[in-house]
Amino acid sequence: MRRNRLVTAMVAATPAIALAIVGLTPAAAPPLLQTFALSGGMRLVADTGTSAAELPQRSTERFSLVGVTWDDPRAMAAGTIEVRTRPVGGRSWTPWQALETDAPDESGGTAARGASDPLWVGPSNGVQARVIGTGALPAGMRVDLINPDAGPAPVEPEPAAFSASDLPARPVPKLMTRAAWGANEKIVKEAPTYTGPVGVFFVHHTATGNGYSCKSSTSVVRGIEAYQVKSKGWNDIGYNFLVDKCGTIFEGRRGGVTRNVLGAHTLGFNTNASAVAVIGDYRSAALSSAARLSVAQLAAYKLGAHGYAPAGRVLVTSGGSPKFKVGRQVTLNRISGHRDAGLTECPGNALYAQLPAIRRLAGAAPSGLHVAKVSRAWLWSGTYWTTGRLVPLWDLATSTRMINRFDVYVDGKLALSRANWTRLGELRLAPGEHTVAIRAVHLSGRTATVSIPVVADVTPPAFTGLPQVSLTGGTVGTTAPIRLSWTATDPAGLRGVQITGASRAALGGTVRSLTGTAPIGTASSWTVAATDHAGNRREATLGRTPEVSQETEATRTGSWRTSSDTGHLGGAAASATTGDASLTWSFSGSSAALVVGRTTTSGRVGVYVDGAFQGYVDTRSTAPMYRRVVWTRSWAEGGEHTVRVVPEATAGRPKVIIDGLIHLG
């Protein structure tokens, strides 16, 4: 089957961020043709009672048409060919359907194949097929799935397809090249020879003593080269790598660090092997943590490149040595000391005792991998919500030196890969629920994965109750007290509400109202903007004008007196003490509020709206108060209304002071 090309990646503007598009039509275009071989093996089919060759149930890329073909266009397919499929987005499978087969078609060219008639099944991503009968099957029988919609769609330009070439190169350990440490290439006698995959990694010490400074390590290496070539008569320095006590890595034998150079380090076992020599004498001297990490990095780099577990063991055949005669099969640790293969103390007791720790370090899975932050997304109720773009940032405890790369998957599909030093990557997701997983790949090949649930939501919040403005309790002056209220919902939850206009506020997503003021006689507007946790925003704007109808504008009955005081609206108010007195206002609006003066001896007043009694309002207070709203009424829509107030003639405190009526137009 062809390699899955569903996932695509794009390189972003900055070198630290790659952009991947997942789930959108251009980025997720499935292949035009998928093929799956039909097995010639037979089994009993329970629902037919006969035997059949079968392609078991399997998930596929998207297709809409299915058929069965075979090599010879002149051959006939014995038995009945049946298929069933799974629709995209569904879990159940369709009933079995038989494919029609006609006489062989010999009209094709040399590449022609025998075939059934195709069957249109609609968008599907799963298939099962069987051939029921006892006859021999034609050679090369296979199930062919066709996606007629394969190819770019007009949504946006099609990004480059993700492929193996998009993977970051396997990181070469940071080292001093032969040129950097001053290798004498003139004394090297022959061109390098290459061996097969490195299956065992030998650890040596140079036994050259520990009295060197790290600044002089290059000189030590040049000396080792000269000794092994000129004194020993070797072709080149024998080790593939060297490491000093400070952890600096040196390229050893010529031929290329990324290639499997045949060294001269472990007699009888140089083939399919690589080796490092730690500069110094480690019979009793402790190995530094920096040097230990470098040795582990090199071992993981060489062994992991071929899928070999650095902590494992391997059966090798001796090429002949004092310890193992030629042809002798020996089981070695993948990371072995020189003494494991030869009659030697190398790499010294102290270093040899560190090999188990080096194996664990080289063969460990990445540890402590976690998602540290997700930019352009908000965590709510255990899920990250985004409008489509997000930047996960991750980190881990394992040293960057031991990491090969990071792979980012969306819904199980590789979306992008990042170099071992990178800790973030930008994604763009199609609307819907997704699982974003970050996989750290160790040089050894072992992995660790952390995943987060993400919902890409492009739908803004809905106002189930449009913003409304109503009059509320408070003091009336040049402004009227108002309450702004709304109801908004969203599957992603409301992250916040922003109010602008006559009132300004930034509120939490659970807040549904805001009190404030609006200037009397002036048109005011308010904009309510609700934002969900994905970042989608919806706005609604409304406008209202508070108007004052003073007591002098009301229709009167009964006896009313004028109370003059600068504290009243317009400097005066109307007072009455008997139940036969009334004030009636007619107005057009969506909210009304009764404004009174309050004293310690004020009584109750009855309120009627559009002729219907609403109840009594007590206007008494513990201290004198002017221009106070004591009753309000609001309507969802503006309209014509009347409000009538009547003193109750409350026993002991019959007097009421009416300052006017406010309404919102």
Side-chain angles (χ1 to χ4, degrees):
M1 185 177 68
R2 300 194 315 176
R3 174 180 170 84
N4 178 10
R5 301 286 185 174
L6 271 176
V7 182
T8 62
M10 288 171 32
V11 178
T14 61
I17 297 180
L19 172 64
I21 304 176
V22 179
L24 302 177
T25 301
L32 174 65
L33 170 66
Q34 302 169 72
T35 63
F36 304 96
L38 260 169
S39 170
M42 308 300 285
R43 71 173 185 84
L44 186 66
V45 179
D47 57 349
T48 65
T50 60
S51 59
E54 182 183 44
L55 171 68
Q57 284 185 5
R58 64 172 298 136
S59 296
T60 68
E61 305 300 342
R62 182 186 291 253
F63 67 95
S64 295
L65 182 142
V66 58
V68 170
T69 66
W70 48 91
D71 291 344
D72 188 353
R74 296 167 297 180
M76 287 288 291
T80 301
I81 303 174
E82 294 183 337
V83 298
R84 61 176 178 173
T85 57
R86 183 185 61 205
V88 169
R91 294 184 177 179
S92 60
W93 291 74
T94 66
W96 285 103
Q97 299 183 76
L99 299 182
E100 292 293 332
T101 55
D102 297 321
D105 182 2
E106 299 182 12
S107 60
T110 57
R113 293 173 59 82
S116 71
D117 286 340
L119 177 68
W120 178 266
V121 294
S124 305
N125 60 5
V127 68
Q128 183 179 7
R130 64 189 183 189
V131 183
I132 300 175
T134 58
L137 298 181
M141 184 170 265
R142 73 187 192 199
V143 178
D144 286 23
L145 308 179
I146 300 296
N147 172 35
D149 299 320
V155 177
E156 60 186 60
E158 184 180 10
F162 188 94
S163 68
S165 62
D166 295 306
L167 290 174
R170 183 174 172 83
V172 177
K174 183 179 179 181
L175 50 72
M176 293 192 71
T177 64
R178 288 172 64 91
W181 60 259
N184 187 348
E185 304 296 357
K186 293 181 180 180
I187 67 174
V188 177
K189 300 175 182 178
E190 298 177 3
T193 301
Y194 298 96
T195 184
V198 172
V200 61
F201 189 84
F202 290 104
V203 179
H204 298 247
H205 70 165
T206 63
T208 49
N210 303 318
Y212 64 93
S213 68
C214 293
K215 290 184 178 180
S216 64
S217 296
T218 54
S219 297
V220 176
V221 176
R222 287 195 299 270
I224 293 172
E225 178 203 22
Y227 181 80
Q228 292 187 341
V229 174
K230 302 300 289 184
S231 297
K232 285 191 167 185
W234 290 7
N235 173 51
D236 191 359
I237 193 168
Y239 311 114
N240 298 100
F241 303 95
L242 298 96
V243 171
D244 72 10
K245 60 185 178 183
C246 294
T248 303
I249 301 173
F250 298 85
E251 179 185 6
R253 176 161 286 219
R254 188 174 66 176
V257 173
T258 62
R259 305 185 66 182
N260 298 331
V261 180
L262 179 66
H265 46 76
T266 311
L267 184 61
F269 296 91
N270 289 311
T271 302
N272 300 337
S274 186
V276 62
V278 183
I279 301 172
D281 187 334
Y282 291 94
R283 287 176 293 181
S284 59
L287 186 69
S288 70
S289 59
R292 183 170 59 247
L293 179 60
S294 292
V295 172
Q297 181 186 15
L298 288 167
Y301 173 72
K302 279 300 181 181
L303 293 169
H306 306 289
Y308 298 136
R313 293 170 67 82
V314 60
L315 182 66
V316 296
T317 302
S318 172
S321 73
K323 188 169 184 177
F324 299 108
K325 66 180 182 179
V326 63
R328 170 80 178 273
Q329 289 191 314
V330 183
T331 298
L332 297 174
N333 289 303
R334 292 281 186 185
I335 300 176
S336 286
H338 185 187
R339 66 174 63 174
D340 294 322
L343 295 176
T344 176
E345 292 184 357
C346 182
N349 289 340
L351 178 49
Y352 190 79
Q354 287 290 301
L355 292 186
I358 290 172
R359 294 185 192 108
R360 289 192 297 271
L361 189 57
S367 65
L369 179 65
H370 64 282
V371 176
K373 182 181 178 181
V374 181
S375 299
R376 296 187 180 177
W378 288 264
L379 182 63
W380 178 68
S381 191
T383 298
Y384 287 94
W385 296 79
T386 175
T387 56
R389 287 177 176 247
L390 74 159
V391 181
L393 296 93
W394 58 86
D395 205 352
L396 76 172
T398 300
S399 170
T400 297
R401 293 175 58 181
M402 301 304 298
I403 298 299
N404 179 0
R405 67 178 188 278
F406 296 98
D407 294 334
V408 181
Y409 292 81
V410 175
D411 302 328
K413 303 292 186 181
L414 182 61
L416 58 89
S417 287
R418 309 300 290 133
N420 63 343
W421 48 267
T422 306
R423 298 293 187 271
L424 77 167
E426 185 171 354
L427 299 170
R428 190 168 71 195
L429 307 181
E433 298 181 3
H434 302 281
T435 298
V436 174
I438 295 94
R439 176 175 296 172
V441 183
H442 197 274
L443 282 175
S444 67
R446 296 186 64 184
T447 63
T449 302
V450 61
S451 62
I452 56 172
V454 179
V455 174
D457 175 25
V458 296
T459 303
F463 281 107
T464 54
L466 288 173
Q468 299 287 337
V469 174
S470 59
L471 294 164
T472 189
T475 301
V476 178
T478 58
T479 62
I482 57 93
R483 179 183 299 275
L484 179 65
S485 59
W486 62 89
T487 305
T489 61
D490 192 275
L494 292 184
R495 179 158 52 94
V497 177
Q498 188 81 18
I499 309 298
T500 56
S503 302
R504 294 181 177 274
L507 308 171
T510 60
V511 180
R512 296 291 182 269
S513 64
L514 177 70
T515 57
T517 60
I520 293 175
T522 301
S524 296
S525 65
W526 295 263
T527 297
V528 179
T531 304
D532 63 21
H533 282 93
N536 299 296
R537 176 185 174 102
R538 189 183 293 277
E539 296 182 353
T541 300
L542 76 162
R544 293 290 185 268
T545 303
E547 301 285 356
V548 174
S549 295
Q550 293 185 266
E551 81 286 351
T552 56
E553 301 175 55
T555 301
R556 300 188 181 198
T557 64
S559 177
W560 290 88
R561 297 181 60 185
T562 298
S563 298
S564 298
D565 194 296
T566 56
H568 294 307
L569 288 174
S575 63
T577 58
T578 62
D580 61 350
S582 69
L583 294 176
T584 302
W585 293 271
S586 296
F587 63 93
S588 177
S590 59
S591 185
L594 180 63
V595 183
V596 304
R598 306 184 69 177
T599 70
T600 58
T601 59
S602 296
R604 300 203 309 172
V605 61
V607 181
Y608 295 79
V609 175
D610 298 333
F613 180 62
Q614 304 296 301
Y616 288 101
V617 179
D618 198 333
T619 66
R620 182 174 60 177
S621 68
T622 57
M625 303 177 72
Y626 294 97
R627 307 184 310 279
R628 296 294 296 180
V629 174
V630 294
W631 170 89
T632 64
R633 172 72 184 274
S634 297
W635 297 266
E637 302 290 339
E640 302 294 329
H641 301 283
T642 62
V643 171
R644 182 165 67 96
V645 296
V646 179
E648 182 193 34
T650 310
R653 48 187 182 95
K655 184 178 179 180
V656 296
I657 304 171
I658 307 300
D659 221 352
L661 187 81
I662 300 179
H663 57 87
L664 293 179

